Amino acid sequence: MIAPWPVPYSDETLYSWIARYRTRMRHPSIQSLMEDLFGSPSTAVSTDYGYGIEHFAAKLKPCLALSQVDLVNNHTLFPIYAPFLQPQQARNLLKVIEKGLAKCRRPPLNPRRDSVTVPEFLRFCPECAMEERTMYGECYWHRLHQVPGIEVCARHEVWLESTSAPTRSLGAWHTFSLAQDTVPTAESRSLSAHEPGRSLLLQLVHDAEWLLQQPSLSVDHSALWKRYRFLLREQGLSSYRGKVSIGKLLARIHQTIPMAMLSRNEGTSGRLTSGRGLLSLLRKPRGGLPPLYHLLMIQLLGTTAEDFFHMPPEPEAFGIGPWPCLNPIAPHYRTPVVTKCSIDVQKDGARPVATFSCDCGFQYVRVGPDWGPLAQYSYTRVAQYGALWDGKFKRLWSTAELTLQFISQEVGIAEKNLSLHAARLKLPVWRREHGRAATPGRKRTWRGRPERPAGASLALARESWITLCHLTPLSGSELREERRLYHWLFRHDHAWLIAQPRRPRIPRLAGSHTRVDWIERDQFLVHVLERQPLLPALSGHHRISINKLIRQSGYRHLIQPNLHRLPATRATLNRIVTSHMPED
């Protein structure tokens, strides 16, 4: 049994807890302390983990009802590493922590890939320390403040400060630094509202805090990889066959994450600033990567750690339901109410095929995977229309005054397929009008042209036409009315319109539209070409072309399209080009 043991605080590290115990009990040496707590004088306790916790929990049990699972999950950084390790790696690490089988100070990550800077000294939040000293009479080391990559306190929105207490274990010569004696009374540095990447820094803290509160979160690397691929497709950074647009992704990385933040946390490898570290998450899983890589990628793809880990292990190729109903006559049209979705694979095994069934009876099929979020509002074919759609089609089809175009617009299918559905529903099929609306004034003949309107309409149109023909000049509205009447009479009273005299045209004023005097223009352009100086680029030993001379003259729009009408200009151009040919 261990004599009076202090009650651990919320989010306190095991290191801080033992430091407070050692100060209270005044152990003469670190060896006797380790022998007393862990049964071995050579046990190492770092700011991340403590090894041999099983022995420690057994001796602690008479004093405090804390199991070894509670100690690992609530007072070490194991919960933030476990989700990003292979399940077998996580179990091995947990076994090491509980049994004390090795003296590893870091989780079993590949050293070549662990390119995140680990803080050399313990860190603290000045505001948190001030509140704890007021509330408890002492402050302590927080787990969240020691997570690599966390630089701010999201609760108070201030920067974390470093102390003189080292984070690395020094074995038997290590002195447990008490936060109450080590943390100075310092002014906090507020996180500016204009700090680059401010929201990113705060969200990193929220995600890390959420992970620390998940005691049994273990995910296979293949599931993480599939979730990343799914989010990349949703963000338009990958094709639905798995090809990642590396250029777009690197541009997103450098636009979203400040370069200064990447430089502070990448160590000496340069994998974060170059983007190679985050891109390594998209390859086939072969080992663990630092949690900061995953947290940055999760934010980069527009989600949070909580939402990311609550996604299904294998995201659907058709998104996450409910899906919209695409029955055009249903009151819930395009509303996400469909919860039934059955997915099959094409016979050749190439692409998935989903069948969506709504409670209204409408069933539609879509071949996937979806090309984007808007793909859910389309379908490849309709498997079943349902009683609601069939009932409305029967009512519309039974109304003889309605045209095929009107029925087509109401039920949402093409005109050419209406007769097929009528036959399917065993309805009589007859010739029906083709038009926008079936009104008495718009009856059509078998040739598809309107019949001649009533005599009153013809008389009114003829009278208006005769009136307009005697008005000169016409205003803009009168010209538009004349054009409309002409087309109407041409269609409905063609013989009468042709027999009418045309409205006299307004004679043009003399000189208002004269022809071009090409002889005069030819002489003017010759004068321009002869008097213009040659540019340096056109003189010397450089060859002169006709096109260069025309562009230099400034009258290209007059010369080039009309060179066949300007013989003197053409001759002048040839003479200048010939006289300035470079000598061999």
Side-chain angles (χ1 to χ4, degrees):
M1 174 180 177
I2 301 178
W5 189 266
V7 178
Y9 295 117
S10 173
D11 194 49
E12 185 177 13
T13 63
L14 184 64
Y15 175 97
S16 175
W17 196 17
I18 295 176
R20 291 196 296 120
Y21 172 77
R22 179 172 183 259
T23 302
R24 174 178 294 188
M25 299 306 298
R26 298 181 181 180
H27 271 275
S29 66
I30 193 70
Q31 291 91 343
S32 62
L33 177 64
M34 295 296 101
E35 180 72 28
D36 186 18
L37 299 183
F38 299 97
S40 172
S42 60
T43 300
V45 178
S46 68
T47 55
D48 290 350
Y49 304 102
Y51 300 98
I53 287 183
E54 185 178 12
H55 181 274
F56 174 64
K59 298 196 67 175
L60 186 67
K61 191 172 183 180
C63 251
L64 295 173
L66 290 176
S67 65
Q68 62 190 35
V69 176
D70 295 333
L71 292 174
V72 171
N73 292 332
N74 299 327
H75 300 287
T76 70
L77 293 185
F78 176 77
I80 205 166
Y81 287 100
F84 307 113
L85 296 174
Q86 291 283 10
Q88 185 60 41
Q89 285 182 323
R91 287 191 292 268
N92 292 340
L93 176 60
L94 184 59
K95 188 176 181 180
V96 167
I97 294 174
E98 292 178 348
K99 303 291 184 182
L101 301 179
K103 296 181 180 180
C104 59
R105 301 184 178 92
R106 288 282 152 195
L109 299 174
N110 189 334
R112 295 174 299 174
R113 295 189 175 196
D114 192 359
S115 55
V116 175
T117 301
V118 179
E120 296 183 2
F121 300 96
L122 292 172
R123 298 176 298 177
F124 70 98
C125 168
E127 298 295 329
C128 292
M130 186 182 304
E131 291 180 359
E132 291 157 6
R133 281 170 172 159
T134 303
M135 185 178 302
Y136 307 120
E138 61 179 349
C139 60
Y140 59 92
W141 303 116
H142 287 257
R143 290 187 302 166
L144 184 60
H145 297 165
Q146 317 311 323
V147 176
I150 300 301
E151 301 179 277
V152 299
C153 174
R155 180 183 173 191
H156 299 101
E157 296 188 0
V158 297
W159 292 93
L160 298 179
E161 305 293 344
S162 297
T163 63
S164 58
T167 57
R168 63 189 184 92
S169 173
L170 299 178
W173 299 273
H174 183 68
T175 301
F176 284 92
S177 300
L178 188 66
Q180 178 64 16
D181 299 336
T182 309
V183 172
T185 304
E187 293 185 2
S188 59
R189 296 178 295 145
S190 299
L191 183 63
S192 172
H194 305 288
E195 177 71 24
R198 182 179 188 274
S199 60
L200 180 69
L201 291 169
L202 294 175
Q203 188 59 44
L204 277 177
V205 181
H206 293 310
D207 289 345
E209 185 177 12
W210 182 84
L211 287 174
L212 288 173
Q213 297 171 359
Q214 311 305 312
S216 58
L217 188 62
S218 180
V219 183
D220 187 71
H221 269 208
S222 60
L224 290 177
W225 183 72
K226 290 176 182 178
R227 287 170 178 163
Y228 284 136
R229 292 284 181 167
F230 174 78
L231 292 174
L232 285 169
R233 292 196 298 265
E234 292 292 314
Q235 295 289 324
L237 300 174
S238 169
S239 68
Y240 277 79
R241 292 190 178 273
K243 184 177 181 181
V244 180
S245 178
I246 301 298
K248 290 183 180 180
L249 183 56
L250 288 175
R252 175 78 66 88
I253 291 173
H254 294 131
Q255 290 172 2
T256 306
I257 308 175
M259 191 62 64
M261 177 186 172
L262 295 176
S263 301
R264 290 194 301 265
N265 292 281
E266 72 173 349
T268 58
S269 64
R271 293 180 63 82
L272 277 178
T273 52
S274 65
R276 291 181 290 118
L278 298 185
L279 292 178
S280 61
L281 297 172
L282 307 179
R283 303 190 185 101
K284 285 291 185 179
R286 289 173 296 193
L289 288 171
L292 181 61
Y293 284 13
H294 294 273
L295 295 180
L296 289 175
M297 178 60 78
I298 288 172
Q299 285 202 53
L300 197 68
L301 298 179
T303 185
T304 63
E306 183 177 3
D307 295 337
F308 179 79
F309 284 100
H310 284 161
M311 291 173 58
E314 295 188 10
E316 299 291 346
F318 301 93
I320 302 173
W323 299 270
C325 176
L326 301 182
N327 187 352
I329 67 171
H332 52 267
Y333 176 55
R334 296 173 71 91
T335 304
V337 296
V338 179
T339 57
K340 300 176 183 178
C341 175
S342 60
I343 301 179
D344 200 355
V345 181
Q346 289 180 334
K347 292 182 179 180
D348 56 0
R351 304 179 68 182
V353 180
T355 302
F356 302 90
S357 303
C358 183
D359 293 338
C360 67
F362 192 83
Q363 293 183 4
Y364 61 93
V365 178
R366 183 166 65 249
V367 177
D370 287 350
W371 50 264
L374 295 180
Q376 61 180 339
Y377 297 103
S378 62
Y379 56 79
T380 306
R381 62 182 178 86
V382 177
Q384 184 175 343
Y385 285 88
L388 181 64
W389 190 92
D390 290 345
K392 183 165 185 179
F393 181 82
K394 289 179 181 178
R395 291 193 299 272
L396 294 174
W397 189 262
S398 302
T399 307
E401 291 79 10
L402 300 179
T403 62
L404 292 178
Q405 185 177 2
F406 179 81
I407 298 175
S408 172
Q409 293 173 352
E410 288 293 312
V411 298
I413 61 174
E415 291 185 34
K416 61 181 181 180
N417 296 329
L418 291 177
S419 58
L420 300 178
H421 288 280
R424 177 177 64 84
L425 298 173
K426 299 181 180 180
L427 299 176
V429 180
W430 57 79
R431 183 176 295 276
R432 189 179 287 266
E433 304 294 341
H434 294 266
R436 186 171 299 277
T439 57
R442 295 285 294 176
K443 290 183 180 179
R444 297 178 176 273
T445 62
W446 64 274
R447 298 179 64 184
R449 294 182 179 178
E451 294 181 350
R452 187 169 181 172
S457 300
L458 283 176
L460 181 61
R462 290 176 179 180
E463 182 179 354
S464 301
W465 176 257
I466 294 173
T467 303
L468 288 174
C469 286
H470 290 82
L471 291 178
T472 53
L474 297 178
S475 63
S477 59
E478 290 171 342
L479 284 172
R480 289 191 293 272
E481 178 65 17
E482 181 192 34
R483 194 177 302 113
R484 187 190 67 81
L485 277 175
Y486 178 84
H487 288 294
W488 193 89
L489 289 170
F490 187 89
R491 190 173 186 182
H492 297 90
D493 201 5
H494 185 266
W496 181 87
L497 179 64
I498 296 302
Q500 299 304 309
R502 297 293 183 91
R503 183 172 62 84
R505 293 182 176 273
I506 301 175
R508 292 186 179 275
L509 298 177
S512 62
H513 185 71
T514 57
R515 292 181 176 274
V516 177
D517 189 345
W518 292 105
I519 297 177
E520 181 181 356
R521 178 170 293 184
D522 197 11
Q523 295 174 356
F524 168 75
L525 293 175
V526 168
H527 178 73
V528 169
L529 291 172
E530 289 179 344
R531 291 180 61 86
Q532 69 175 356
L534 290 177
L535 294 177
L538 301 182
S539 59
H541 298 285
H542 297 278
R543 183 179 297 276
I544 301 176
S545 66
I546 292 178
N547 287 332
K548 289 182 179 179
L549 288 173
I550 293 174
R551 285 196 300 270
Q552 181 187 350
S553 69
Y555 291 95
R556 180 182 180 182
H557 63 290
L558 298 180
I559 299 175
Q560 201 162 23
N562 304 304
L563 199 57
H564 60 286
R565 295 189 179 98
L566 306 169
T569 301
R570 186 169 62 253
T572 302
L573 290 170
N574 292 329
R575 178 175 54 79
I576 295 175
V577 170
T578 305
S579 61
H580 287 82
M581 291 184 66
E583 298 180 358
D584 296 335

